[in-house]
Amino acid sequence: EVQLVESGGGSVQPGGSLRLSCAASGFPFWNSYMSWVRQSPGKGLEWVSGIDHIGKTTYYAESVEGRFTISRDNVKNTLYLQLNSLKFEDTAIYYCAKGVEYRNESNRGPGTQVTVSS
């Protein structure tokens, strides 16, 4: 059973930074492509970033390119997302997901709230 638990969210001012973590268990994390997605109030799920199983190749949505950095530690079974230069529009619940089927709730964690406000 896929188990994912996100942490590290919080409230931050515009321009600030946060580091999100996602602890994974119940599946071969070391061999799994992983994703970060987010959901803003009143909007659908938005794909944010992805990383291959060894952490060599990363992908970003245009809206976060250059500001967010995805990484992973396959020894600790943990996925990370560094959020820099945060903007109001980055306010959302952030979810980590196994693979690319992030719309399937069983592939996502419960999420962590990121709020950008002044």
Side-chain angles (χ1 to χ4, degrees), residues 26-44:
F27 67 99
F29 178 80
W30 62 273
N31 198 33
S32 298
Y33 180 97
M34 297 295 294
S35 305
W36 283 100
V37 300
R38 66 186 181 185
Q39 187 164 24
S40 302
K43 296 185 179 180

Side-chain angles (χ1 to χ4, degrees), residues 5 9-10 12-13 17 19-20 23-24 28 34 55 58 61 64 67-68 72 83 88 91 97-99 105 110 112:
V5 180
V12 63
Q13 293 184 339
S17 298
R19 189 194 195 201
L20 307 184
M34 297 295 294
T58 58
V64 307
R67 300 188 298 119
F68 291 6
R72 66 190 297 158
L83 288 63
F88 292 119
T91 294
K98 175 183 178 292
E105 289 187 11
T112 187

Side-chain angles (χ1 to χ4, degrees), residues 70-112:
I70 190 172
S71 62
R72 66 190 297 158
D73 185 330
N74 284 351
V75 174
K76 295 182 178 179
N77 277 9
T78 302
L79 180 71
Y80 303 99
L81 187 67
Q82 178 68 41
L83 288 63
N84 295 331
S85 302
L86 282 161
K87 304 176 180 180
F88 292 119
E89 52 263 42
D90 294 319
T91 294
I93 299 173
Y94 284 72
Y95 303 90
C96 66
K98 175 183 178 292
V100 297
E101 299 296 329
Y102 53 83
R103 298 191 186 280
N104 184 337
E105 289 187 11
S106 64
N107 288 334
R108 300 199 309 263
T112 187

